[in-house]
Structures are given as C-alpha cells and as structure tokens.
C-alpha cells in the first residue's frame, strides 16, 4: 500500500516498499549533475571562486558525494575540483531531528518546512482547510491571530 508525501494512502504508486519505514512511493535518490558553461569576460581565478561558492551552497543543501570538475578550457591554465577528504560531503547541514545532528541546532533550511498535524506527516494548513478537526482549527486560528498582531504593530 503506497503512501504519498503527506503519509496519505494513494493508489498512484507502484506498490513497492522503499526503505525500512512504511510503504511509500519508490523514488530516485541519486542524481548526476553535469555543469557546463562559458564564462566570457571572466578571469580564471574568478571562475574558480564562483564555482566553489556555488558548489559550497549546494553541498549545504544536498549531500554531495563525488565531485570531478575541470575548470579552464578557454584559459591558458586549468584545474580539477574534486571531493578530496569528503570536504563537500561534510558541509551538508542535517536537520535538527536527524540523528546525525548531535547539537540539535536547526539547519538553515528548516524555516521552509511546513508544520505538520501532531502525530502525522500531513501539513497543518491543509488539514485546517480540508478537514473538520477542532484541535487543528484552534491551533491554526491561534497562529493566525498571532501573525495578524505582528503585522499590525
């Protein structure tokens, strides 16, 4: 029995069990990213710095395991960027509920996650919109009142 991203039963999946939690949709979890670009009017050192900045930002947001990039086709010099000593892998910021986050400090991205209904993966605001649940209604209305007070001041 497959479940969707909200933990709700769905007949749209392929029926396979993925992982060791509860049955869900089988999804791809590994990707290859190919980067190709022409940086006109850019010096070699600027191109390396720009690529490194981009790669570091990416590595904080997703797990980057392998890196092999050559920079410098149009210049007289070139360099290879690799993931030596798992530098990029170690940049990933685990969310506060993950066992790998020993300090339990929220990751930068947690502000973007939706709030769930207590004991469920279902988004709080969708439950408020689509279901009749006094506890959910009371909580959402409390939050809306709080936000409205902030806006008025």
């Amino acid at each position: 029995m497959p479940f969707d991203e909200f933990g709700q039963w769905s007949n749209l999946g392929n029926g396979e069990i993925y992982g060791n939690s509860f049955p869900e949709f089988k999804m791809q979890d590994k990707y290859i990213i190919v980067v190709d670009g022409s940086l006109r009017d850019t010096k070699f050192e600027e191109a390396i710095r720009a690529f490194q900045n981009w790669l570091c930002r990416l590595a904080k947001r997703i797990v980057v395991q392998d890196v092999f990039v050559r920079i410098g086709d149009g210049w007289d010099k070139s360099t290879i960027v690799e993931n030596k000593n798992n530098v990029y892998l170690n940049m990933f910021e685990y969310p506060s509920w993950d066992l790998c986050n020993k300090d339990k400090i929220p990751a930068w991205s947690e502000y973007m996650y939706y709030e769930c209904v207590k004991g469920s993966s279902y988004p709080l605001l969708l439950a408020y919109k689509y279901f009749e649940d006094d506890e959910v209604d009371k909580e959402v209305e409390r939050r809306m009142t709080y936000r409205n007070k902030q806006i008025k001041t």
Side-chain angles (χ1 to χ4, degrees), residues 25-84:
F25 291 99
K26 184 171 174 72
M27 297 179 286
Q28 182 175 339
D29 62 352
K30 294 191 181 353
Y31 298 88
I32 295 174
I33 298 174
V34 178
V35 180
D36 182 25
S38 251
L39 300 174
R40 291 177 275 151
D41 301 328
T42 305
K43 295 182 176 155
F44 179 72
E45 290 76 17
E46 291 172 345
I48 292 173
R49 191 175 315 110
F51 178 75
Q52 287 288 4
N53 286 342
W54 174 80
L55 185 56
C56 289
R57 286 180 60 116
L58 180 70
K60 284 186 169 198
R61 291 152 172 81
I62 64 170
V63 176
V64 175
Q65 292 180 327
D66 300 312
V67 176
F68 189 84
V69 176
R70 182 171 57 90
I71 298 175
D73 200 25
W75 294 285
D76 294 337
K77 49 191 168 185
S78 68
T79 189
I80 303 279
V81 179
E82 297 179 86
N83 194 13
K84 292 182 181 174

